[in-house]
Amino acid sequence: MTKSSTFDASALPDLTGRVVLITGGHSGLGLATTTALASKNAKVYIATRSITKAEAAIQEIKNNNPNAQVEIVELDLGDLRSVKKGAEDFLQRETSLHILINNAGIMCPPFSLTPQGHETQLQTNHLAHHLLTTLLLPLLFKTASTSPPRTVRVLNVSSDAHRKLAPKTGISFSDMNLTDKSPWTRYGHSKLCNVLHSLSLAEKYGNQNLLSLSLHPGTVKTNLSHGPRTSTPLYALIQPLIEWGAPGPTEGCANILWCATSDSVRDDDNGMYFEPVGKRGGVGRHGRDAVMAGRLWEWSQGVLERGGFL
Ligand SMILES: NC(=O)c1ccc[n+]([C@@H]2O[C@H](COP(=O)([O-])OP(=O)(O)OC[C@H]3O[C@@H](n4cnc5c(N)ncnc54)[C@H](OP(=O)(O)O)[C@@H]3O)[C@@H](O)[C@H]2O)c1
């Protein structure tokens, strides 16, 4: 498999026998990724809060590919109780997991708190994915123990916003909800959390044949702009400029597919961040900070343990 800006689903290897779980796999980049992986015979679980939308997406996939194996796991990242239930449901249904894609996300909604008291972007984009990953780790390890090197992967779909929009000082441990900051800063902060989560996963579990990567998909036309259009009225005016020339999800998911399957990924890439397509570098200063990653890990574990989720 080559590293190329024209990388697409046709370059994917056969994925027969591989099990994938992807959050938000029914729309945008997630749907394009689900469609591509299923087209290469992977069994894909869409983890979603939107069952009707996911059923429609699966129908659409099967209309073109009747043999596609795509199933639903119900899970709302906005409520950690639901994440735990969804993970338990998946663990009862499957005996292996090769690729976990933490893809679902929201960008710049107005400030609000989840039932667990976390700012909605922080929980949806980071904390809920930290919980999901942690609950699925035993199955990932089990699968990795009988798989060739670099087969079993955890991807965090981050963004270049991790370096462009996060606070200049990095993770804000004194106020993780960033109460007084803009929705854009909170988005960048949550995406920096994604990069640091991957760094910690690699540091802690690289010796268990688990490959953990974060990535920026590029600017892609999807529903993600719903958030900023709600919180930042001016966004509707500048959106055409921001998205000028941007691809749709089918082309735009190339970096996710590359990170999920490419055999060009090396052992020493573990924990790294990739820009489209398969490009090393581009990570911000804080995204390489192992001490900050360790503090974020402790904070996330602590919150989840105190809440009774771990
Ligand atoms: N598009 C871009 O230009 C771009 C650039 C950089 C990074 N990204 C990242 O790419 C990822 C995918 O975004 P996208 O562009 O494909 O946007 P999208 O079309 O809006 O898709 C986002 C997905 O996340 C799901 N989601 C949101 N809140 C959820 C919750 N509480 N529980 C479960 N699922 C939830 C949505 O499901 P519902 O239908 O239920 O809302 C949807 O399937 C995000 O992490 C985003 O930050 C995108």
Side-chain angles (χ1 to χ4, degrees):
M1 189 183 304
T2 52
K3 182 170 71 176
S4 146
S5 58
T6 57
F7 181 88
D8 63 24
S10 65
L12 290 171
D14 178 45
L15 298 169
T16 301
R18 304 256 185 107
V19 178
V20 179
L21 187 142
I22 177 167
T23 59
H26 66 273
S27 68
L29 287 162
L31 175 56
T33 303
T34 299
T35 306
L37 296 175
S39 78
K40 293 292 178 171
N41 307 315
K43 182 174 182 184
V44 185
Y45 286 82
I46 295 175
T48 179
R49 63 178 171 177
S50 300
I51 302 302
T52 309
K53 286 192 221 170
E55 284 171 348
I58 291 173
Q59 192 54 55
E60 189 187 316
I61 291 170
K62 290 199 170 175
N63 286 344
N64 296 317
N65 175 9
N67 295 325
Q69 298 180 81
V70 187
E71 299 198 13
I72 294 172
V73 172
E74 185 168 4
L75 172 161
D76 181 352
L77 298 162
D79 189 334
L80 297 174
R81 294 166 296 191
S82 167
V83 175
K84 187 163 179 165
K85 200 158 163 269
E88 285 167 355
D89 170 37
F90 175 75
L91 290 170
Q92 290 208 332
R93 289 159 66 185
E94 265 304 334
T95 52
S96 57
L97 175 60
H98 298 83
I99 306 172
L100 169 62
I101 308 179
N102 292 323
N103 160 76
I106 47 173
M107 180 169 77
C108 304
F111 185 89
S112 69
L113 296 177
T114 67
Q116 286 76 40
H118 306 292
E119 190 276 321
T120 309
Q121 289 192 84
L122 178 70
Q123 178 168 316
T124 306
N125 296 353
H126 166 63
L127 196 55
H129 280 123
H130 182 110
L131 175 61
L132 178 65
T133 306
T134 305
L135 294 172
L136 298 181
L137 274 175
L139 185 55
L140 287 161
F141 293 154
K142 181 174 161 240
T143 311
S145 70
T146 55
S147 298
R150 298 178 297 285
T151 303
V152 178
R153 303 183 183 193
V154 177
L155 308 188
N156 279 329
V157 180
S158 177
S159 166
D160 62 356
H162 85 274
R163 65 178 150 76
K164 293 179 173 169
L165 297 176
K168 295 267 174 291
T169 48
I171 300 298
S172 166
F173 291 104
S174 60
D175 178 16
M176 287 297 282
N177 286 344
L178 292 176
T179 320
D180 298 326
K181 297 285 193 259
S182 74
W184 295 96
T185 307
R186 288 193 281 271
Y187 179 66
H189 189 245
S190 71
K191 292 286 139 179
L192 176 59
C193 290
N194 293 155
V195 174
L196 293 173
H197 182 217
S198 294
L199 200 60
S200 283
L201 284 169
E203 202 264 325
K204 290 177 190 305
Y205 307 121
N207 61 358
Q208 304 228 32
N209 193 21
L210 182 67
L211 186 71
S212 305
L213 307 176
S214 62
L215 67 105
H216 172 51
T219 300
V220 183
K221 285 181 187 155
T222 66
N223 293 328
L224 196 65
S225 54
H226 173 76
R229 278 191 271 110
T230 315
S231 66
T232 316
L234 193 65
Y235 188 83
L237 289 177
I238 59 169
Q239 187 179 351
L241 287 177
I242 292 173
E243 292 184 350
W244 184 261
T250 303
E251 196 183 326
C253 73
N255 203 29
I256 303 180
L257 297 178
W258 191 91
C259 288
T261 63
S262 174
D263 55 16
S264 300
V265 178
R266 308 180 303 240
D267 281 336
D268 63 359
D269 286 329
N270 212 345
M272 280 185 59
Y273 164 86
F274 285 86
E275 298 215 331
V277 173
K279 289 196 181 110
R280 297 168 179 84
V283 70
R285 174 168 64 99
H286 297 304
R288 293 188 300 261
D289 186 334
V291 175
M292 194 172 281
R295 280 189 74 190
L296 176 65
W297 182 276
E298 292 307 323
W299 179 84
S300 306
Q301 288 284 127
V303 162
L304 294 170
E305 281 167 17
R306 284 192 297 279
F309 300 105
L310 286 178

